């Protein structure tokens, strides 16, 4: 079992390496495209900085908390792009019949998609924006780092990444039944916008939606609560915090279950 | 010849309205972005002591959100795509000017997007957030005029950036930069009067404020109807200047096209 898992991991990294070398062939184009993608998120970052400088807070969320939530969510989303971005191409693969080729190979289809469809661009742009926020605003209004918070940083990022990845995989698995999941994909792009900001500033029905039906609240916001001080987070005990950290793997497992279900029911489009 | 372009525009409008499911999904997606923008400002402005200032800013953001949703998701890199794929030379053989054809298509599409996206967005946001609208016929006419001019300025800026494909080939990043500048400096994300003086001085020299800020400010009452004339003159001046630049860029750029094969 461990040998098999290790073998899969080695194959994954080899595919990522190949995709990485491919994207580095034209470095100039890569840099230009990453710069362009970063430009897309910079206005939101600058607008947030203007609000923080002008007003000092958004509701009862202070500058340090707002900037950390924004930075953390962007970094988590960038990590999600590193691993799971390839799943967004599933509808195209189905239409072109490439899923059939992937099914013939003696490797899990998900592994082939995650590794073979790896792109550096989308991942680095969000990571860069998150790091920019952390370095600029975060250095002016820093959060209090303790040994406990430092120790929890990696598990929190992993949990957020898995939650977002699980949602991505679930959305992509819809394509096995409907061929096109563009509508869901676009909706998720919109809903993901909520995760850059403290969710308690939105209306209560929206919050309920983001914690239940579309659990993007566990894609960065809740995990960031481990590092910031705010009345919403201060009332949460260690049992619930443990559940928050576990939510990522659980959402990922649910997404993976839907993926396996979709794959089992998949019938070729005949391309 | 103008009838051809007007018909192109009308067909583009119809095209936008015909795929209702796609239109609904696009509206739902863009509405989420707009709701997030306005919700943040509703919470931020709760700390502002002046009720008038609060209402003004929130009304402005509602209109700005609805207006800026018009500028999202159109095939902006038409020239760049055509140049990269080589279809530009095929387009040049047609008895219509590709750029004019594209501009009229964009205007037609914008009318469709205004109907299926901007108006419902503003209506829904007005219901969700407690804003008072004081719309009168002169204000609506002034706002729509500025909106039309603002959209033409937006198209000209897009064409100007797209025309750089004759020199840099791939304009993807330049379009992203353009979009960022329109959103940040045009008042789509932050009411311009909250910016520091240094940024405002830069904004005054650029055309972006006429794209979102001017129509949104007039419709929300931030700019009075009496002061609309100044905004109209500014918009007309920018249309003239940008239009001249676009034509010059097109003429110079065309000389750089080389094509081979059959």
């Amino acid at each position: 079992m461990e040998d098999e898992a290790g073998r899969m991991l080695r194959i994954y990294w080899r595919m990522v390496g190949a995709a990485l070398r491919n994207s580095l062939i034209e470095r100039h184009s890569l840099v230009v495209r990453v710069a362009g993608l970063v430009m897309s998120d910079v206005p939101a970052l600058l607008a947030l900085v203007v609000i923080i400088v002008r007003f000092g807070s958004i509701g009862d969320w202070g500058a340090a908390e707002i900037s950390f939530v924004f930075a953390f969510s962007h970094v988590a989303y960038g990590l999600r792009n590193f691993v799971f971005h390839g799943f967004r191409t599933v509808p195209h693969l189905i239409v072109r019949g490439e899923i059939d080729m992937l099914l013939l190979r003696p490797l899990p289809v998900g592994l082939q998609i995650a590794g073979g469809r790896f792109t550096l661009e989308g991942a680095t742009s969000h990571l860069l924006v998150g790091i920019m926020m952390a370095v600029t605003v975060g250095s002016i209004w820093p959060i209090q780092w303790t040994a406990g918070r430092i120790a929890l940083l990696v598990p929190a990022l992993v949990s957020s990444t898995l939650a977002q990845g699980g949602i991505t995989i679930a959305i992509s698995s819809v394509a096995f039944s409907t061929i096109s999941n563009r509508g869901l994909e676009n909706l998720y792009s919109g809903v993901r916008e909520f995760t850059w900001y403290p969710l308690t500033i939105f209306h209560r029905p929206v919050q309920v939606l983001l914690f239940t039906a579309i659990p993007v609240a566990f894609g960065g916001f809740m995990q960031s609560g481990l590092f910031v001080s705010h009345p919403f987070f201060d009332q949460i005990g260690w049992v619930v915090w443990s559940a928050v950290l576990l939510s990522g793997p659980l959402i990922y497992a649910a997404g993976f279950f839907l993926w396996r279900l979709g794959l089992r029911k998949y019938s070729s489009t005949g391309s | 010849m103008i009838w051809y372009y007007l018909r192109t525009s009308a067909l583009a409008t119809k095209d936008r309205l015909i795929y209702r499911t796609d239109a609904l999904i696009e509206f739902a997606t863009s509405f989420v972005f707009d709701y997030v923008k306005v919700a943040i400002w509703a919470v931020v402005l709760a700390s502002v002591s002046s009720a008038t200032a609060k209402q003004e800013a929130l009304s402005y953001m509602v209109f700005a959100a609805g207006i800026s949703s018009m500028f999202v998701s159109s095939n902006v890199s038409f020239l760049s795509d055509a140049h990269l794929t080589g279809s530009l030379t095929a387009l040049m053989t047609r008895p219509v000017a590709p750029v004019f054809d594209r501009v009229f298509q964009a205007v037609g599409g914008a009318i469709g997007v205004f109907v299926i996206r901007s108006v419902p967005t503003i209506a829904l946001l007005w219901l969700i957030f407690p804003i008072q609208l004081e719309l009168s016929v002169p204000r609506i006419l002034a706002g729509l005029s500025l909106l039309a001019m603002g959209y033409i300025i937006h198209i000209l800026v897009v064409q100007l950036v797209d025309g750089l494909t004759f020199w840099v080939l791939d304009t993807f990043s330049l379009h992203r930069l353009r979009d960022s500048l329109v959103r940040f400096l045009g008042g789509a994300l932050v009411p311009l009067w909250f910016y520091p003086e240094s940024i405002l001085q830069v904004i005054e020299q650029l055309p972006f404020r006429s794209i979102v800020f001017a129509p949104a400010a007039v419709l929300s009452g931030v700019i009075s109807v009496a002061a609309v004339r100044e905004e109209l003159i500014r918009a007309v001046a920018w249309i003239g200047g940008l239009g001249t630049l676009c034509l010059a860029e097109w003429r110079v750029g065309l000389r750089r096209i080389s094509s081979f094969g059959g």
Side-chain angles (χ1 to χ4, degrees):
Chain A
M1 185 78 161
E2 279 179 17
D3 284 345
E4 188 62 19
R7 190 177 80 93
M8 291 296 143
L9 208 54
R10 280 193 298 275
I11 291 171
Y12 170 74
W13 284 116
R14 275 194 145 173
M15 286 195 284
V16 168
L20 200 57
R21 282 191 296 277
N22 191 38
S23 57
L24 287 174
I25 288 172
E26 290 188 12
R27 279 169 215 185
H28 174 254
S29 294
L30 176 67
V31 168
V32 164
R33 286 194 83 85
V34 168
L37 287 168
V38 169
M39 287 296 161
S40 302
D41 285 326
V42 162
L45 188 158
L46 290 176
L48 199 57
V49 170
V50 168
I51 291 173
I52 292 174
V53 168
R54 186 75 168 71
F55 297 94
S57 64
I58 298 180
D60 56 356
W61 293 85
E65 291 84 47
I66 299 164
S67 57
F68 186 83
V69 169
F70 189 89
F72 186 89
S73 299
H74 269 85
V75 169
Y77 187 72
L79 290 173
R80 166 263 188 195
N81 274 352
F82 259 122
V83 184
F84 300 105
H85 177 78
F87 286 91
R88 297 184 68 187
T89 64
V90 166
H92 305 290
L93 296 175
I94 290 171
V95 165
R96 292 203 298 261
E98 288 184 33
I99 290 279
D100 301 2
M101 292 191 322
L102 298 181
L103 282 165
L104 288 173
R105 294 178 191 161
L107 290 171
V109 173
L111 183 76
Q112 294 180 71
I113 291 173
R117 298 270 154 181
F118 174 84
T119 61
L120 201 53
E121 299 159 7
T124 39
S125 63
H126 285 280
L127 274 178
L128 283 172
V129 167
I131 291 167
M132 273 160 59
M133 188 61 162
V135 165
T136 54
V137 183
S139 62
I140 302 169
W141 296 286
I143 59 166
Q144 297 297 317
W145 285 101
T146 61
R149 283 178 174 179
I150 293 171
L152 283 170
L153 186 59
V154 169
L157 278 173
V158 168
S159 174
S160 310
T161 305
L162 285 175
Q164 296 205 34
I167 295 171
T168 303
I169 292 175
I171 290 172
S172 69
S173 62
V174 168
F176 287 123
S177 309
T178 61
I179 308 299
S180 171
N181 64 352
R182 193 170 60 92
L184 261 183
E185 189 63 52
N186 288 344
L187 266 174
Y188 177 58
S189 298
V191 168
R192 194 193 65 218
E193 193 76 6
F194 286 111
T195 62
W196 310 147
Y197 309 100
L199 294 183
T200 58
I201 67 175
F202 303 113
H203 291 92
R204 192 51 65 95
V206 174
Q207 291 180 43
V208 168
L209 189 73
L210 299 176
F211 275 90
T212 54
I214 312 170
V216 291
F218 300 100
F221 171 68
M222 284 306 293
Q223 286 85 349
S224 64
L226 288 162
F227 307 94
V228 299
S229 298
H230 184 270
F232 177 77
F233 291 127
D234 292 344
Q235 61 188 326
I236 296 176
W238 69 268
V239 172
V240 177
W241 281 125
S242 306
V244 165
L245 283 174
L246 279 173
S247 65
L250 282 173
I251 293 171
Y252 174 77
F256 186 69
F257 171 75
L258 286 172
W259 170 262
R260 293 290 296 262
L261 200 64
L263 208 52
R264 212 175 301 146
K265 291 182 182 301
Y266 168 70
S267 59
S268 175
T269 55
S271 316
Chain B
M1 198 63 192
I2 191 71
W3 292 113
Y4 165 79
Y5 294 119
L6 289 173
R7 196 153 171 267
T8 302
S9 229
L11 283 171
T13 308
K14 189 178 165 194
D15 192 45
R16 273 288 178 179
L17 301 174
I18 209 163
Y19 297 103
R20 293 194 186 105
T21 312
D22 280 0
L24 193 60
I25 292 168
E26 277 182 25
F27 165 72
T29 309
S30 78
F31 181 76
V32 171
F33 285 104
D34 298 328
Y35 168 79
V36 170
K37 268 189 275 191
V38 181
I40 290 169
W41 277 101
V43 173
V44 167
L45 292 167
S47 63
V48 170
S49 51
S50 161
T52 315
K54 216 183 298 197
Q55 267 300 305
E56 246 179 28
L58 199 57
S59 303
Y60 168 84
M61 278 312 299
V62 166
F63 280 107
I67 288 168
S68 58
S69 67
M70 276 175 70
F71 304 109
V72 178
S73 77
S74 52
N75 183 13
V76 294
S77 56
F78 138 75
L79 264 182
S80 180
D81 289 344
H83 194 206
L84 280 168
T85 58
S87 58
L88 184 61
T89 43
L91 288 173
M92 296 298 299
T93 60
R94 291 186 198 168
V96 292
V99 176
F100 282 137
D101 187 48
R102 192 64 198 160
V103 165
F104 275 86
Q105 263 190 50
V107 169
I111 295 171
V113 170
F114 180 74
V115 168
I116 61 172
R117 210 186 280 175
S118 297
V119 171
T121 296
I122 292 168
L124 261 180
L125 289 173
W126 173 54
L127 286 172
I128 294 171
F129 297 97
I131 60 167
Q132 291 153 10
L133 290 180
E134 290 173 11
L135 289 170
S136 59
V137 171
R139 186 175 292 284
I140 292 172
L141 285 175
L144 290 178
S145 307
L146 281 169
L147 179 63
M149 291 193 174
Y151 193 78
I152 292 171
I153 291 174
H154 177 251
I155 291 175
L156 290 171
V157 170
V158 167
Q159 288 302 321
L160 211 55
V161 172
D162 214 25
L164 292 173
T165 187
F166 294 122
W167 287 271
V168 298
L169 212 61
D170 188 358
T171 55
F172 169 79
S173 300
L174 292 173
H175 278 298
R176 292 286 177 148
L177 177 63
R178 182 230 358 116
D179 181 57
S180 302
L181 288 173
V182 169
R183 282 195 285 148
F184 187 66
L185 299 179
L189 297 175
V190 180
L192 293 188
W193 58 92
F194 288 129
Y195 281 136
E197 193 56 42
S198 51
I199 296 182
L200 283 175
Q201 283 173 9
V202 171
I203 289 171
E204 285 297 314
Q205 311 306 321
L206 297 170
F208 305 120
R209 60 165 274 153
S210 299
I211 297 175
V212 177
F213 173 76
V218 167
L219 287 167
S220 60
V222 172
I223 295 177
S224 66
V225 178
V228 163
R229 198 168 74 166
E230 195 187 308
E231 295 295 333
L232 284 170
I233 292 171
R234 186 200 300 264
V236 167
W238 273 114
I239 288 172
L242 289 170
T244 308
L245 264 175
C246 280
L247 272 170
E249 184 190 49
W250 174 252
R251 290 210 170 106
V252 173
L254 272 186
R255 289 194 218 124
R256 295 175 63 90
I257 292 180
S258 61
S259 176
F260 53 91

